[in-house]
Amino acid sequence: MATPYKEIVGRARGAFRDGRTLSVEFRRQQLQQLKKMYEENSHVFLKALQSDLRKPKLEGMMLEVHGLISDIDYTLNRLDKWVKTQEVPSKIPFDQSYIYNEPYGVVLVMGAWNYPLQLTMLPVAGAIAAGNAVIIKPSEVSPATAAAIASLVPKYIDKDCYPVVCGGIPETTELLKERFDYIFYTGSTGVGKIVRDAANKYLTPVTLELGGKSPCYIDQDVDMDMAVRRVLWGKLINLGQTCIAPDYILCSKATEKIFVEKAKEVLQEWYGDDPQGSENLCRIVAERHVDRLEEYLKCGEAAIGGKVDRADRWVEPTVLVNVDKDSKILKEEIFGPILPIVNVDSHVEAINYINDREKPLAMYVFSKNKKKTEVFMKQVPCGGVTLNDTILHVAHTELPFGGIGHSGMGAYHGKFTFDTFTHKKSCLSRSYNSFIDKAMRARFPPYTEKNLKLLTSQKDGGDGPGFFHYLKLFFSHAISMGLGALILYLIIHYSDSKGYVDSVVE
């Protein structure tokens, strides 16, 4: 008996094979409908985000709803250019070579719970723009947002081409048994490994947007007021439940002291005497995550914060000092408002500390010394970097966002999302020119040393010197000379008919 997922995927595959998703006009119409959905139901999504994470309106609007609208506008303004077939130079005269942009087919997009609207629907928009059918799987850990997506999406875009599937671990396990042409997953490294294992059955390509421990180095020469504000903002949006949040600080003991004192002032300015009562801070998504974070608080001394209220899913913004370097908080992704500080004596020691661990998704370096920042850039492999601030590299549409190693594989945002869901198909169209065919007969048996030398004269594999290069030059020069002779003939013929030539001769 067929599972409901087999039927859902089957309908999507049937719609794709019928060509329903392929026309650019259809893609445009679906993207415009998605934009309309966000604009007409922003209040619904904001209410859902408030329910799941108690997300402030500004964060919900700017980091989720408005971000999705802006992404669609960016895509619609460039889609005609992106879908065009790209012509490339041919090695042999009269041939045509080009790259054809085609969709993969039926793709699965699995969203995350921390930004449950944006991290689900942004890749969906790119997959639609590329011409795919899309199975949409929002995270069950943010149930209100998942329900909003499941309710609203079918009202605005094609139900067969873009179905929404909800459910927890058992349902997701069954869904992953189906065959997809591409899988896009955002979430933890552990689940990412499970997704990739499932994809391996059919050799399905995957993009894995994972997490990890994103370091933040602070030099002694920085404007500390500015640095503290930028670090704390990056750490505390979504109450630390951000995959690219600064996970820990690397700095000297002297810099740590200055940072802590300034952080106390900034947190007081932002959230007052009672941060738990502030409307500007989210909540932890579930009580089990509160329990996990409470364990991390035991790994050092709370120089700031440290309070926990499990019933309210609350963990206070906390700075930990004197942290044991072998403790869990320095081995596991924190994903919460706890910021441990690791003391190092130099930027070289900081780089070695980072490189002794798994490659991070993001890295932040605060320093006025360009030589130091350049050393970090050259010597630390990571997904992306913001220098002298946090988070903002991910908001730049022209920059790819993605991880490396345990922090993920593949990238998206802007055109990179379109490219992720697009197969670049190579096409070479040969001519039936008899002269070229004779020139290429050296490839046919019987094989001779003379033919071998002729064929291997093409050294660089491109347009450099070689037999076909000179053949192309011959034809280009011949055509140029022919055109020149024709133009000269026409000038003389026209001049003669007007009597100009005779008058000049006389």
Side-chain angles (χ1 to χ4, degrees), residues 59-222:
E59 288 187 17
M61 197 67 197
M62 295 306 300
L63 302 180
E64 305 234 29
V65 179
H66 184 264
L68 290 168
I69 293 171
S70 297
D71 176 72
I72 289 177
D73 285 338
Y74 183 91
T75 299
L76 288 172
N77 288 335
R78 294 160 179 82
L79 186 58
D80 289 339
K81 180 180 178 181
W82 292 353
V83 300
K84 280 184 178 178
T85 298
Q86 178 187 350
E87 292 191 43
V88 297
S90 293
K91 293 172 63 176
I92 302 170
F94 302 113
D95 284 0
Q96 288 183 306
S97 305
Y98 50 93
I99 300 170
Y100 182 79
N101 293 310
E102 70 175 6
Y104 277 99
V106 178
V107 306
L108 171 63
V109 173
M110 302 172 67
W113 56 261
N114 55 328
Y115 292 87
L117 183 62
Q118 185 227 121
L119 295 181
T120 302
M121 298 305 296
L122 193 146
V124 167
I128 292 173
N132 298 278
V134 190
I135 311 300
I136 306 167
K137 171 61 179 71
S139 173
E140 74 283 0
V141 182
S142 292
T145 306
I149 292 171
S151 170
L152 291 171
V153 166
K155 296 177 181 178
Y156 285 84
I157 59 177
D158 192 290
K159 298 177 184 178
D160 292 333
C161 299
Y162 316 112
V164 180
V165 174
C166 290
I169 294 174
E171 292 80 7
T172 304
T173 301
E174 288 300 311
L175 180 62
L176 284 171
K177 292 178 182 178
E178 299 302 319
R179 183 168 190 163
F180 297 97
D181 300 299
Y182 202 101
I183 298 176
F184 190 107
Y185 167 76
T186 303
S188 70
T189 300
V191 178
K193 293 178 180 179
I194 296 171
V195 172
R196 192 178 185 190
D197 284 344
N200 284 342
K201 179 180 179 181
Y202 297 111
L203 297 180
T204 302
V206 297
T207 289
L208 301 177
E209 295 297 339
L210 309 177
K213 301 191 71 62
S214 297
C216 177
Y217 173 74
I218 303 179
D219 207 356
Q220 64 268 18
D221 66 356
V222 301

Side-chain angles (χ1 to χ4, degrees), residues 54 276 283-292 294 307-315:
R54 209 181 297 182
Q276 188 173 356
R283 288 299 182 267
I284 302 302
V285 71
E287 290 181 355
R288 62 186 177 88
H289 287 278
V290 175
D291 296 338
R292 175 180 58 80
E294 190 170 19
K307 296 178 183 177
V308 175
D309 184 343
R310 191 174 188 271
D312 192 32
R313 293 183 285 136
W314 166 255
V315 176

Side-chain angles (χ1 to χ4, degrees), residues 396-409:
H396 195 318
T397 315
E398 302 294 333
L399 293 176
F401 172 65
I404 180 175
H406 276 224
S407 63
M409 61 180 67

Side-chain angles (χ1 to χ4, degrees), residues 165-449:
V165 174
C166 290
I169 294 174
E171 292 80 7
T172 304
T173 301
E174 288 300 311
L175 180 62
L176 284 171
K177 292 178 182 178
E178 299 302 319
R179 183 168 190 163
F180 297 97
D181 300 299
Y182 202 101
I183 298 176
F184 190 107
Y185 167 76
T186 303
S188 70
T189 300
V191 178
K193 293 178 180 179
I194 296 171
V195 172
R196 192 178 185 190
D197 284 344
N200 284 342
K201 179 180 179 181
Y202 297 111
L203 297 180
T204 302
V206 297
T207 289
L208 301 177
E209 295 297 339
L210 309 177
K213 301 191 71 62
S214 297
C216 177
Y217 173 74
I218 303 179
D219 207 356
Q220 64 268 18
D221 66 356
V222 301
D223 180 325
M224 192 58 75
D225 181 74
M226 198 176 296
V228 167
R229 291 174 186 277
R230 293 175 178 183
V231 171
L232 291 180
W233 173 78
K235 183 64 177 180
L236 296 179
I237 52 173
N238 213 36
L239 202 62
Q241 298 164 110
T242 303
C243 60
I244 55 170
D247 194 88
Y248 62 97
I249 290 175
L250 292 161
C251 68
S252 68
K253 196 69 178 176
T255 302
E256 172 193 291
K257 183 178 180 181
I258 301 170
F259 180 92
V260 169
E261 290 306 311
K262 179 58 65 174
K264 289 177 182 177
E265 296 176 14
V266 172
L267 291 173
Q268 168 69 28
E269 176 189 330
W270 287 357
Y271 308 119
D273 294 326
D274 180 23
Q276 188 173 356
S278 172
E279 296 181 354
N280 299 311
L281 286 166
C282 292
R283 288 299 182 267
I284 302 302
V285 71
E287 290 181 355
R288 62 186 177 88
H289 287 278
V290 175
D291 296 338
R292 175 180 58 80
L293 292 167
E294 190 170 19
E295 285 297 308
Y296 290 152
L297 292 173
K298 302 173 184 178
C299 298
E301 300 173 16
I304 302 174
K307 296 178 183 177
V308 175
D309 184 343
R310 191 174 188 271
D312 192 32
R313 293 183 285 136
W314 166 255
V315 176
E316 188 178 13
T318 301
V319 176
L320 284 187
V321 297
N322 298 326
V323 179
D324 182 351
K325 290 189 177 181
D326 293 322
S327 61
K328 289 195 301 182
I329 197 169
L330 295 181
K331 294 179 180 178
E332 302 170 359
E333 184 178 13
I334 297 171
F335 232 64
I338 306 171
L339 187 60
I341 298 179
V342 177
N343 295 132
V344 293
D345 293 326
S346 68
H347 71 286
V348 174
E349 186 180 346
I351 289 171
N352 290 334
Y353 183 91
I354 298 168
N355 285 338
D356 284 341
R357 287 149 181 81
E358 298 293 347
K359 297 178 178 67
L361 178 57
M363 178 177 68
Y364 306 108
V365 181
F366 286 79
S367 177
K368 293 181 179 179
N369 188 319
K370 291 186 178 181
K371 289 184 177 179
K372 287 184 182 180
T373 58
E374 190 65 23
V375 173
F376 275 95
M377 292 294 292
K378 289 181 177 179
Q379 294 188 6
V380 180
C382 62
V385 180
T386 295
L387 301 176
N388 297 311
D389 210 327
T390 61
I391 307 294
L392 295 181
H393 66 283
V394 76
H396 195 318
T397 315
E398 302 294 333
L399 293 176
F401 172 65
I404 180 175
H406 276 224
S407 63
M409 61 180 67
Y412 73 125
H413 286 192
K415 186 176 185 294
F416 300 100
T417 315
F418 176 86
D419 289 340
T420 286
F421 292 105
T422 299
H423 170 58
K424 303 291 184 179
K425 184 160 67 179
S426 303
C427 302
L428 173 66
S429 177
R430 296 297 324 282
S431 73
Y432 285 101
N433 183 281
S434 58
F435 181 83
I436 297 297
D437 189 63
K438 287 178 182 178
M440 290 193 65
R441 286 185 183 178
R443 64 185 171 138
F444 298 139
Y447 300 136
T448 65
E449 287 298 319

